[in-house]
Amino acid sequence: MTKHSPEYKVLMVGRILGGIATSLLFSAFESWLVAEHFKRGFEAQWLSLTFSKAVFLGNGLVAILSGLGANLLADTLSLGPVSPFDAAACILAIGMAVIIYTWSENYGDSSEGKGLLTQFKAAASAITSDEKIALLGAIQSLFEGSMYTFVFLWTPALSPNDEDIPHGFIFATFMLSSMIGSSLASRLMARSSIRVESYLQVVFLVSAAMLFSPVAINLFMKSSGHKGGSLTPTGRLLLLAFCIFETCVGIFWPSIMKLRSQYVPEESRSTILNFFRIPVNIFVCVILYNVNAFPMSVMFTMCGIFLVLAAVLQKRLMMATEKPKTSDWSSDRAVDSEAEPLNM
């Protein structure tokens, strides 16, 4: 509703409400799903398949259809740029009614009856006391921060001279790449011999290379485009790199959901997930505020460095997950050693 107002303050209130809605979207549904999954006694490995399908259908197929629908409302039917938001509100209202009347409620295990401050303290304590949760939060923040920054950079990167590029087609291509990535993730997670902690390191390094590519390409190739022209050969090469990055994004989402279901405690999962999003939002706001202060090559380089750091932290997370196995083996060995004289 605030989108219809020309007042800046009203629009800012709308963005605050939108931020709250986004936090709910990326935390409440996942928390409900994990809690309900185990409440019904389903097998833990089924979550991987559910997460990959959610990314494939939701972040991929539905995103493409939403883009086409928004283009139909705003351009073809000439209803204006606010019409897609109105349509989204109507669809969300329908979804709300379906959820209220068909979904069973769950509140987690121990957060019920706790105040907001108590839940935040419990979440902060879980993050600081468990290295795996802290590493997972840092990895997620680094990747998502780079991903959301990329959203604002890909258009000027592909059209440095204000070329007339097909934004809708490119967006649909990105979403198709993300769908391919989520499909690959489901196949990877289905293999018991391949650990999520292991292949995500490769995903982060490939993502970093793809975001470093604009810097490298601009060093060796000069854009020959002109204002109003079409996508240049340099732009096509960058588009290929960006599609590979979006494929990595498609692999990342179901994989990170799987890791969160393993390491983040159920009783404070929703609060912890929102904790993870705080540094992402701060980072993106700082980037947007200073977007004109840095060359685009610096922005892409910074995102690439963040993804390399995510790969390093992912390696550390893998080592941390192997520690309990080592300690358990050591304790079992100690028990066996104490029992040996009795056996003799």
Side-chain angles (χ1 to χ4, degrees), residues 44-300:
Q45 58 264 32
W46 290 0
L47 277 174
S48 302
L49 181 61
T50 303
F51 288 144
S52 61
K53 284 188 175 182
V55 174
F56 183 86
L57 297 174
N59 291 11
L61 182 60
V62 173
I64 295 174
L65 295 176
S66 298
L68 296 175
N71 186 76
L72 174 67
L73 292 171
D75 295 335
T76 307
L77 300 180
S78 301
L79 297 178
V82 182
S83 57
F85 293 94
D86 295 334
C90 295
I91 294 173
L92 283 170
I94 295 173
M96 179 182 67
V98 172
I99 289 172
I100 289 176
Y101 290 105
T102 62
W103 290 22
S104 59
E105 185 60 276
N106 64 57
Y107 300 91
D109 289 335
S110 60
S111 61
E112 186 175 2
K114 290 184 178 180
L116 182 63
L117 183 60
T118 304
Q119 292 184 45
F120 269 94
K121 287 181 178 179
S125 176
I127 294 172
T128 55
S129 61
D130 192 331
E131 182 186 14
K132 294 188 291 293
I133 297 178
L135 287 170
L136 197 60
I139 291 166
Q140 177 178 319
S141 297
L142 289 169
F143 189 90
E144 289 190 12
S146 300
M147 180 186 65
Y148 290 132
T149 303
F150 167 78
V151 170
F152 297 101
L153 295 179
W154 71 262
T155 297
L158 295 178
S159 56
N161 300 312
D162 293 330
E163 290 90 348
D164 186 16
I165 61 175
H167 293 87
F169 175 77
I170 292 174
F171 174 77
T173 304
F174 285 165
M175 293 302 98
L176 178 61
S177 300
S178 180
M179 291 173 65
I180 293 173
S182 64
S183 180
L184 290 174
S186 64
R187 294 177 181 273
L188 289 171
M189 288 188 291
R191 295 177 177 268
S192 58
S193 59
I194 302 177
R195 296 185 61 190
V196 177
E197 295 87 344
S198 178
Y199 71 73
L200 269 183
Q201 299 175 51
V202 179
V203 170
F204 293 147
L205 291 176
V206 173
S207 300
M210 295 305 102
L211 292 192
F212 278 132
S213 63
V215 182
I217 290 174
N218 288 332
L219 286 176
F220 299 101
M221 298 178 63
K222 292 185 178 180
S223 177
S224 57
H226 59 276
K227 188 172 183 179
S230 59
L231 196 64
T232 63
T234 302
R236 294 189 184 96
L237 189 59
L238 280 176
L239 179 59
L240 175 61
F242 292 163
C243 285
I244 296 175
F245 173 75
E246 285 292 336
T247 302
C248 292
V249 171
I251 298 175
F252 168 80
W253 281 118
S255 302
I256 202 70
M257 289 176 178
K258 173 65 175 178
L259 291 180
R260 289 197 297 243
S261 69
Q262 291 177 346
Y263 302 128
V264 179
E266 180 182 341
E267 61 270 13
S268 53
R269 176 174 287 113
S270 182
T271 310
I272 290 175
L273 295 186
N274 283 312
F275 254 106
F276 291 169
R277 300 192 64 81
I278 293 175
V280 176
N281 292 327
I282 293 175
F283 172 74
V284 174
C285 288
V286 171
I287 290 297
L288 291 179
Y289 186 77
N290 298 283
V291 68
N292 294 322
F294 301 102
M296 193 176 303
S297 59
V298 174
M299 307 283 278
F300 274 111

Side-chain angles (χ1 to χ4, degrees), residues 5-20:
S5 174
E7 295 292 330
Y8 179 77
K9 292 181 180 179
V10 176
L11 293 174
M12 285 300 296
V13 171
R15 291 314 305 143
I16 293 173
L17 295 173
I20 296 173

